[in-house]
Amino acid sequence: VTGCTTGTPGGTGASAGSSDDSTYDVAFIPMVVGAPYFETANTAMQEAAEEIGGINWIYQGPDTADAAKQSEIVQNMITRGVDAIVISAVDGTSVVPVLQQAMDAGIHVYTWDVDTDPDGRENYIGIGSMEDFGAHMVDSLVSQMGESGQYAVITGSLSANLLNERIDAIKAYSAETYPGLDLVSVEGADVDPAKAYTIAQNLLTAYPDLKGIISNSSEAAVGAARAVQQAGKQGQVYVTGISTPNVMKPYIADDSAQIINFWDLEKYAKLAVYVTKDLLDGKTYSEGTVSGYDGYDQLTYSGDVLLFNEFLDFTADNIDEYDY
Amino acid sequence: MKRLFSRYPTEWVLVGLFALLFIVVSALSPSFLTAGNLFQLARQMVELAIITCGMSVVIITGGIDLSIGAQVGLVAVTMAVLVAHGWPLPAAMLAGLLVAVAAGLINGALVGVLGVPSLVATLGTSLAYGGAATVMSDGRAVSSFPTSYFVFGQSFVGPVPAQVFLMIAIVIITAYLLTSTRWGRHVYLIGANPVAARFAGIRTARTLMATYVFAALLAYVVAVVLSSRTATARVDLGDAYVLSAISAVVFGGISIAGGRGNVVGAILGVAVFTVIQNGLGLANVSVFIQTVVIGSILIIVLTGREIAKRVRTSRRKTAPVFGAITTSKERQA
Amino acid sequence: MNATLAAIVRRREIVIAASIVVISCVVAVISPQFMTVSNIRNVLTSNAVMAVLALGMTIVLVPAHIDVSVGAQLAVTAVVVGDIVTAAQTQSAIVNTGTMLLLGVVIGCVLGALNGLFVALIRLPAIIVTLGTSSILRGVLYSTTNGAWTSGVPAWLTSSQVDGPVGIPGVLIVVAVATVLLAVYMHRTTSGRDVVALGGNREAALRFGVNVSRVDFLVFVIMGAFSGLAGVLYLVQMGSAQPGAGVGFEMTAIAAAILGGASVFGGRIHIGGTLLGVLLLGVIQNGLVLSGVPVYWQDLVSGLIVVAAVTAAVIQDRALLMARLNSSATTKEER
Amino acid sequence: MRTGSETLIALDHVSKTYSGITVLRDASIEIRAGEVLALVGENGAGKSTLIKILSGAEHPDPGAQLTYFGQTHDAVDPVRTLHWGVSVIYQDLSLFPNLTVAENLGFTRAREGHGVYRPSAWRSAAVEVLERLGLDFDVDAPVETLSFGQQQMLAIARAVATEARVIVMDEPTSALSAVETEILYRIVDELRAAQVGIVFISHKLDEVFRICDRVMVLRDGQVVTTGGIPDFTQDDLIAAMVGRRTEYAASRVEGEAGEEILGVDDLLVGGTTQGVSFSVRRNEIVAITGLVGSGRTELAHTIFGMTPARSGRLRVDGKEVVIGSPADALAHGIGYLPEDRRLQGIFAGHSIRTNATVAALDRLVDRFRRIVPRKEDALVARYTRDLDIRPALPSADASTLSGGNQQKVLLARWMAAEPRLLIVDEPTSGVDIGAKREIHRLLQGLAASGTGVLVISSELSEVLALANRILVMRGGRIVGETTPGESTQESILTLELQGDHQ
Ligand SMILES: Nc1ncnc2c1ncn2[C@@H]1O[C@H](COP(=O)(O)OP(=O)(O)OP(=O)(O)O)[C@@H](O)[C@H]1O
Ligand SMILES: Nc1ncnc2c1ncn2[C@@H]1O[C@H](COP(=O)(O)OP(=O)(O)OP(=O)(O)O)[C@@H](O)[C@H]1O
Ligand SMILES: [Mg+2]
Ligand SMILES: [Mg+2]
């Protein structure tokens, strides 16, 4: 695997219309603003931009995770003539046409966290492979409930591609690795913890032998843990999966939820800024220098994809160390 | 001129507001007032404007169509799934058209023939249409369209995005239908007083069916433009437009109780919203502040208009004709 | 005797109740868990928030208004009360729960009064005002919290969902009290009659001494109080609150009220119908999961059920009108 | 004039301007205890407006002097006048359709209570009031299920029930038949005896002469004359109202009726078990009369396709037809002028033009189905002229017209549709005497030109003046048929009441 380059050769400050030539205007476009995940990420990114200097980190996204709205924001960024766009795509294909427009306009496009089709961007900075993470989620649950028994998945919006891919990974891995596991149901709760709660309650009722719930979105975990807590089923039903630390602390504390599969979000977010800066500066990566950043020792780099690879599970032991 | 003003007070307020916003936003962001961005702006309006045309007509009849967004998703997903199954594009697009017509007919039949309150009827069908699309696509984005399809949402006539012309044509056609045809007249009168409309020999059921089918056809157009622009079909493709369209409609002076207002006002409403979103976005104002601005403008502008009206007529304390309208609706059997 | 029976059968509530029964029977056949005490209790408690919102909406709909800001009002209340209660970290349960409920109601009233002012004094259409305030409230809430959740709500507050006098969940008692208060207000006070009269004929209400502006204002304050109450119940139920809480709840609340017999054109009041409307939607959601309908099919199925139920209700309304026409002429002839 | 009795209310220098148009000019009115004051004038003269100002529902232009029960006020509102004992029967009735009869009756009195609503108390009070007035309604029925005439009686009952000191009646008898009108007269007499001051607005001059003590004539917003009833003749009043003397010659279309246009066979109306059968022929005016609630309107609704028939057959031009909706009826050349013009007729917020042409749009469109403004304007202009609609401003909002002018707009709607059979339900309700003659003349003209006309009317003089044949209904059935030549008001009334079959 050879080190790869930025999209444009000699790309120092191809700053299309930025007012101050010495700094890069970089637009970070999350799937949705106002979600704790992206807010936390943005805060960390701003910090990193501050640390590095020379980057004006712009945060602008749709108020609902809507692909068309996200495209419009990309368009606005083209108009503003930023130097680069870092995007977490609502879905991998619908923003591609507009991202291509951006690249045509000389703007560098990188994806962070959620990738698009490769022809929509130059580089992708991601957490790790979906298969690995799905497997990790299943393993976490198995570590609690054991290798056999019924479990269910509660996801967010049914039309969220990222979540759907994760479900596929979960299904594939558990079917292959743990034949004793029985996925009784997949339910969708949108981004509404109250709905997730009701659904979790219903699942507990419908499947009295249910032993585990995997959460596939922050809201789902809260709802599931709350349902287990209310039903007093701690120790009988295990809740693991995606969420963020702060909202889950009370549930981890009273054993209504056990493991939150996550990653060090702040660190992961900062990576995006470091990498963006380097790419904009025209730096070329080779295997050796990928992990050139302090503390990032598990980065892997293949083609135009850079992976963070550090999964982090929050459990009763460590969750109090994180505050977001 | 004066007559023109007194006949369309809301529209003129909106034009004024639009101009004012233009100035403010240009000052806030240097990149706003560039030819490129103005075309961009027009392009960003397209889908909402077309949806708003359909919503306007439905709201003028005194109804509402919450399922328009789901229809967009359903049509787009139908076409994409059929293409993925190897259908030729024209056949898939025809099938999408039929699906749209069917969706409109179902809404129209529920509201017009059975007399189900449109709000619940279309909330229900919205779930059902969205659900059907979810079943077809397993909730996934489908990107099976051939590149030839992208002409509908990604092509340009000179520097102008092609769909802008489509939007202009649809707005003109809608305005024409509403103001100059028998159907348009009936649409207004059903909204003003459905009971009297029946007594006047208007085929209310048929007219309402046509209305909901009209809205569905525009949803179809939006589905094509949007899925072509984004090269993808998704269940939730049109969801974001429903509430915005309703806001634009009421902002533009169409009475939610039906019977009054015109589509041009609603489109001006769309323009105002788009300028705010585009301009403030360019000026790097957070979406949430944009939301606050839009909400405030909605209230402030209409409050200003209302107070001005009251000062003008200096009529005190009466609640004109509203009661009469309310009671007439009640007896809609 | 027969007449009273007939009158009962003709009530709007019957159709919705019948729909609930039919769905329940189907689900009960598929899933033995459905007809268990704990499930029924779950269905009731998890719809408490919606019940409170829909009750408030019923009143707003009577004078032909509408309030689409209730979801945002709920979120504001839940977040503010949540922040206060987590900051205060007091211990004694019963008094404090009451205080929090009261606090929620007060916050809700203030938010409702804001809507009410514009509707009653400026006479803007309610849909515009509430669309506007909804955007404003959400925008402000997100901007101030940056989307952060309020969590760590103490157990004394959240536990009142399950605990309660004589084993009845606390939230249900709140719903019951709210229902009774509302019913008494609407059916046993002249002020409540004023609201209904206003919905029947606004102009006449004005002429017969109803203070129309006051009524308009009042219904929005009442709605606000109910949203505030719902906000606290949400907090109690979830143990956390976020600025996105209650998104879309307004539509469900409106739909439930209309299912129950309310009309967007005003003048109709069916408090029991509203509760049944909420229950119907709740049972559908519960039944879909319990009977194992795959998630991708759930929206389709619930959409079809909603359409079927409301159509049945409308057809029954029409039959009722015809029956009344016929019976009135008959009695005249008999005389 | 009976007594030089005490003045209860006096309004002076009352003017009212609606967006530039003056509808009242320096008018004055004086209401005295124990006296019935008639207020007459053409449609749009300003009668209802004066009454709304009296009750405080509308505010006069500055400069008015308002004295109520000896106290002068700058401004009044409905709540206060109601409280002082001013009770108004508005022209639009102002009932609450969604409340029951008992709730409507109790509504005003409840305002004096302590905020507690006791349905049982309201109910028994309502029963008592209705009994006292000799009315029998189901007190638990929602008002929207009552016929228009019944609603009018209810509005009267409500006004009387408040024990007011001044009662204003704005055209209380417009949809009442002879029997109910008698009840009203009796009530008025009782009130007068109880020293209540009464204002009685009516277009029926015989009624004015029968029960009123004093009369005041409004023309174009000004008081033109006022004085004791004995000092006037009907012709004097008419002259004062219209500003000149007019002749009225009811010229019934005599001669042979043509072939049948509408045939009704055994149509079941309402809950009856016996069908209705009759026919209407070309060049013929057939009148249907009966008491309030006798089912005339329901019959018309059934023919017009508004309510489904339970059984029976309809023939149009000898061919059996199925009419499932008013649109079908219109397609078969049947028009219907409804009795409740506010709910079933006028499109509030829409222009006179739009209101008048809605049923005739088919003839106003070009090849591209565009409504041709020129044709539309011409049609409106013609009927504005023929019917003397005021203001003659096609773009004016129809709901701001006076009651009588709204009625004329609706009539224009149906005449413009050029039906072969026109059913008119209380066609002259609320219409002034000049316009009434005009409408009669137009209906006769329609019949003369070959249209079949079916008139539903409670006013026996109208029926006798217009019709070639008279059908009398009772309880949803036709109980008698007669001709003007062989009957009198009394004989028809007897039929209405007793309904013996021939
Ligand atoms: N809200 C309004 N806006 C504009 N004009 C109005 C309004 N209300 C009434 N008018 C006008 O005032 C005039 C007087 O109306 P009013 O109802 O007092 O007449 P009226 O004497 O009661 O007639 P009728 O016998 O037909 O009932 C009419 O020309 C009418 O068009
Ligand atoms: N919309 C309605 N809903 C329910 N009942 C009605 C309705 N309209 C009429 N009725 C009932 O049908 C009966 C016949 O009424 P209809 O209106 O046909 O009588 P009518 O002879 O025209 O009397 P009126 O002079 O009062 O109009 C009445 O007793 C009334 O209670
Ligand atoms: Mg009048
Ligand atoms: Mg009648």
Side-chain angles (χ1 to χ4, degrees), chain D residues 162-236:
Chain D
T162 53
E163 285 156 25
R165 285 197 278 167
V166 169
I167 295 183
V168 181
M169 306 181 174
D170 195 348
E171 299 191 32
T173 60
S174 61
L176 295 189
S177 56
V179 172
E180 287 82 17
T181 308
E182 282 306 325
I183 297 180
L184 178 68
Y185 292 167
R186 202 197 67 222
I187 294 173
V188 168
D189 282 334
E190 285 169 14
L191 292 170
R192 173 167 33 211
Q195 290 298 303
V196 174
I198 297 172
V199 181
F200 194 92
I201 299 177
S202 179
H203 291 297
K204 300 176 184 170
L205 293 185
D206 46 347
E207 193 166 277
V208 166
F209 279 90
R210 167 132 186 227
I211 59 165
C212 298
D213 304 311
R214 233 158 32 97
V215 63
M216 178 170 134
V217 182
L218 273 180
R219 184 169 76 226
D220 295 334
Q222 278 174 300
V223 179
V224 286
T225 178
T226 162
I229 280 288
D231 304 341
F232 293 92
T233 64
Q234 286 215 14
D235 286 340
D236 292 338

Side-chain angles (χ1 to χ4, degrees), chain D residues 47-48 91 170-171 403:
Chain D
K47 305 178 296 291
S48 297
Q91 193 168 8
D170 195 348
E171 299 191 32

Side-chain angles (χ1 to χ4, degrees), chain D residues 124 283 308 320 476:
Chain D
S124 47
N283 303 69
E320 198 171 317

Side-chain angles (χ1 to χ4, degrees), chain D residues 44-343:
Chain D
K47 305 178 296 291
S48 297
T49 308
L50 185 59
I51 291 320
K52 286 180 198 156
I53 289 173
L54 177 91
S55 72
E58 294 277 357
H59 295 266
D61 297 342
Q65 208 174 321
L66 313 174
T67 311
Y68 290 78
F69 309 103
Q71 300 247 321
T72 307
H73 300 269
D74 289 337
V76 296
D77 58 64
V79 188
R80 288 203 287 164
T81 56
L82 205 61
H83 186 72
W84 298 330
V86 180
S87 186
V88 181
I89 302 163
Y90 292 94
Q91 193 168 8
D92 64 11
L93 304 188
S94 287
L95 294 168
F96 302 105
N98 56 335
L99 301 186
T100 64
V101 168
E103 287 170 328
N104 267 277
L105 279 172
F107 197 78
T108 51
R109 277 193 303 173
R111 320 212 64 72
E112 289 133 36
H114 294 85
V116 179
Y117 164 52
R118 264 183 243 93
S120 55
W122 285 33
R123 200 177 175 284
S124 47
V127 170
E128 189 196 314
V129 168
L130 291 177
E131 226 153 64
R132 180 153 62 85
L133 299 180
L135 300 171
D136 75 319
F137 294 150
D138 174 5
V139 289
D140 298 319
V143 164
E144 59 200 339
T145 62
L146 301 183
S147 78
F148 192 74
Q150 290 168 327
Q151 293 189 11
Q152 198 160 37
M153 284 312 285
L154 179 61
I156 294 168
R158 176 174 64 179
V160 173
T162 53
E163 285 156 25
R165 285 197 278 167
V166 169
I167 295 183
V168 181
M169 306 181 174
D170 195 348
E171 299 191 32
T173 60
S174 61
L176 295 189
S177 56
V179 172
E180 287 82 17
T181 308
E182 282 306 325
I183 297 180
L184 178 68
Y185 292 167
R186 202 197 67 222
I187 294 173
V188 168
D189 282 334
E190 285 169 14
L191 292 170
R192 173 167 33 211
Q195 290 298 303
V196 174
I198 297 172
V199 181
F200 194 92
I201 299 177
S202 179
H203 291 297
K204 300 176 184 170
L205 293 185
D206 46 347
E207 193 166 277
V208 166
F209 279 90
R210 167 132 186 227
I211 59 165
C212 298
D213 304 311
R214 233 158 32 97
V215 63
M216 178 170 134
V217 182
L218 273 180
R219 184 169 76 226
D220 295 334
Q222 278 174 300
V223 179
V224 286
T225 178
T226 162
I229 280 288
D231 304 341
F232 293 92
T233 64
Q234 286 215 14
D235 286 340
D236 292 338
L237 285 187
I238 295 171
M241 282 158 63
V242 301
R244 72 199 128 80
R245 290 189 176 268
T246 55
E247 297 302 314
Y248 179 33
S251 54
R252 194 173 316 111
V253 192
E254 301 293 359
E256 277 305 289
E259 66 274 24
E260 177 193 279
I261 296 178
L262 173 76
V264 175
D265 265 338
D266 243 0
L267 205 63
L268 281 193
V269 173
T272 49
T273 47
Q274 218 178 330
V276 172
S277 305
F278 67 97
S279 67
V280 182
R281 288 172 290 169
R282 286 171 68 91
N283 303 69
E284 186 184 43
I285 300 184
V286 176
I288 302 184
T289 184
L291 299 184
V292 162
S294 57
R296 297 161 298 172
T297 298
E298 227 175 312
L299 172 63
H301 285 190
T302 311
I303 296 172
F304 193 55
M306 198 63 199
T307 19
R310 286 192 297 138
S311 78
R313 282 184 305 277
L314 287 178
R315 266 172 291 124
V316 173
D317 290 336
K319 278 193 293 287
E320 198 171 317
V321 297
V322 178
I323 295 181
S325 72
D328 289 348
L330 186 57
H332 285 112
I334 301 176
Y336 171 66
L337 175 82
E339 69 178 331
D340 188 337
R341 65 175 164 254
R342 196 171 57 89
L343 286 179

